[in-house]
Amino acid sequence: MGDDLAGELADFCVGTTTALAPADVLDKAKLCLTDFLSAALVPSDESRIALRALGNPRAGAALVLGAAAGAPAPAAAYLTSVPAAATGRTDTHVESSSHPGMVVFPALLALAGQHEVSGLNHWARAATQEHVLHSATAARTGVESALLAAAGLIASGGAVDGEAGLLAAFGARDRAHRLAGGPGFAIRDIVHKPAPACIYVQGPCQLAEEIGRRHRPDPARVESVRIGLAEQAVRYPGCDNSGPISDVVAAQLSVQFSVASVLASGGILDRNWRNPADPQANRLAARSRLVADPGLTARFPARNGSWVRVLLDDGQVLVAEQDTFPSMNAAEIVRRFHAAADRVYGRAGSEAILARVDRLDRTPSASGLLRALQPR
């Protein structure tokens, strides 16, 4: 084991092989990769801008998902991460409010082309687009660090938990033990979002969809909407915003707009968040309020529960509640992957990719998956 936290984490990463990992962890990793691919293959303005500005087809051969040309490994990691982040629906670790898949998988795919490998929040208040570059920068930095280490460059072992390390800057050195030596694999806690929006809108959107399915309320008759969440969710930047909503990022973060758009459209549909100026959704959002529920707050983050109460003009109250947000299951994730991948690779090509993902823990390298992911 290493003498410091960085060394301990490195030892864990190097020592954790597919032969040693539990079967459920391997299955979860494959599911996370499939979900990442379904997001990374969705075109977006952000990905087109990044590719135009930073892509260089003559500079390298690492795969850039969704692009006709390759790039150097660090740039490929960056450019593959951007479209996944732009969808707003990448996998989530609730306790840390992070999205590991769009950092880890772009870096691994970029490095797999060169090596044999096996398988801050002000943007939220401003509702601007730079958040899609956060994960891309982390992925690129990870690839660059790996390449520099392989070339012989040595970094400080105390960068994370040393007296002048990262945790010290946040007064958190006493919590360093929580980053290593935990009870199990945190990937088991990853959840998958049905809506292309913030993790904290997912549960309320599911409940709004349930109310629509059970009662089919006329949106014009809705007098008010109250939405109960844990205090942490209510206070998260951008979540408590009743509008008016004018851009996509603000729509993805606003719980009120997200619930309103589901009530207005009748379901969780990607197009709900593509039209943030929708007058009916904005009218309902303006009549919606968030409530920090003490019970939900006490159970967070172990449980990410919510409730929705819709008051109609005749006094009827429509209620739906759930103790926690139910993640998408494997079948739903595979269906979403096909929706994104079939248009790029065809059904047979998409099935070949899924087969390669499934065999990653039983093959010596990821070269077969990289070949399957090459643009047609």
Side-chain angles (χ1 to χ4, degrees):
M1 296 294 290
D3 295 329
D4 46 55
L5 182 57
E8 187 175 350
L9 293 173
D11 287 342
F12 173 81
C13 292
V14 172
T16 301
T17 65
T18 54
L20 296 176
D24 70 306
V25 169
L26 295 175
D27 289 342
K28 184 65 172 180
K30 295 172 187 177
L31 198 61
C32 288
L33 175 56
T34 300
D35 199 25
F36 165 77
L37 293 173
S38 76
L41 291 169
V42 176
S44 67
D45 290 341
E46 292 89 346
S47 61
R48 284 187 284 268
I49 291 170
L51 188 62
R52 186 168 63 246
L54 303 176
N56 186 346
R58 295 186 297 274
L63 176 70
V64 177
L65 277 182
Y78 188 98
L79 294 170
T80 295
S81 178
V82 169
T87 65
R89 66 185 193 200
T90 48
D91 62 18
T92 303
H93 185 260
V94 177
E95 185 174 7
S96 60
S97 294
S98 64
H99 309 283
M102 59 188 183
V103 176
V104 174
F105 292 124
L108 290 178
L109 290 172
L111 287 173
Q114 299 185 212
H115 305 276
E116 291 297 302
V117 296
S118 53
L120 305 159
N121 284 322
H122 188 74
W123 66 270
R125 295 189 186 280
T128 47
Q129 293 172 298
E130 71 269 19
H131 73 288
V132 305
L133 307 180
H134 294 171
S135 58
T137 300
R140 179 175 60 191
T141 301
V143 171
E144 290 171 340
S145 298
L147 295 175
L148 290 168
L153 190 67
I154 299 174
S156 167
V160 177
D161 61 336
E163 291 185 5
L166 175 68
L167 296 180
F170 292 91
R173 291 185 71 204
D174 61 326
R175 299 197 295 277
H177 65 280
R178 297 181 61 183
L179 294 177
F185 290 84
I187 194 172
R188 291 176 170 132
D189 300 325
I190 293 292
V191 296
H192 304 275
K193 305 184 294 185
C198 175
I199 183 61
Y200 297 123
V201 315
Q202 304 298 318
C205 282
Q206 290 173 323
L207 296 176
E209 187 175 55
E210 179 186 336
I211 287 174
R213 185 170 56 249
R214 283 175 19 212
H215 303 284
R216 301 186 182 279
D218 180 355
R221 295 185 53 211
V222 174
E223 288 290 319
S224 66
V225 181
R226 297 180 70 218
I227 304 158
L229 286 164
E231 183 180 0
Q232 296 89 332
V234 174
R235 295 179 58 190
Y236 192 83
C239 282
D240 189 3
N241 180 6
S242 58
I245 304 297
S246 58
D247 62 80
V248 171
V249 176
Q252 291 174 328
L253 287 165
S254 168
V255 178
Q256 291 96 319
F257 177 88
S258 296
V259 167
S261 71
V262 174
L263 290 172
S265 68
I268 299 175
L269 309 171
D270 281 6
R271 68 171 184 264
N272 294 357
W273 289 267
R274 295 186 191 136
N275 185 17
D278 179 73
Q280 190 172 58
N282 271 277
R283 184 189 72 82
L284 289 177
R287 299 184 175 198
S288 303
R289 295 292 180 269
L290 299 193
V291 176
D293 184 286
L296 297 176
T297 300
R299 293 189 291 274
F300 184 89
R303 311 293 290 177
N304 187 15
S306 55
W307 50 259
V308 174
R309 296 171 186 167
V310 178
L311 174 64
L312 301 182
D313 57 6
D314 62 357
Q316 184 180 8
V317 179
L318 312 178
V319 180
E321 58 186 26
Q322 58 189 16
D323 179 55
T324 195
F325 154 62
S327 174
M328 293 176 69
N329 60 37
E332 292 168 332
I333 290 171
V334 169
R335 281 199 297 271
R336 185 160 73 180
F337 167 79
H338 276 298
D342 287 3
R343 63 175 182 77
V344 179
Y345 300 100
R347 188 70 174 196
S350 297
E351 292 289 357
I353 292 170
L354 289 176
R356 290 291 184 178
V357 170
D358 184 61
R359 291 199 294 268
L360 277 176
D361 58 320
R362 303 186 297 279
T363 53
S365 79
S367 57
L369 175 61
L370 294 181
R371 286 194 299 270
L373 288 169
Q374 290 293 332
R376 300 293 188 262

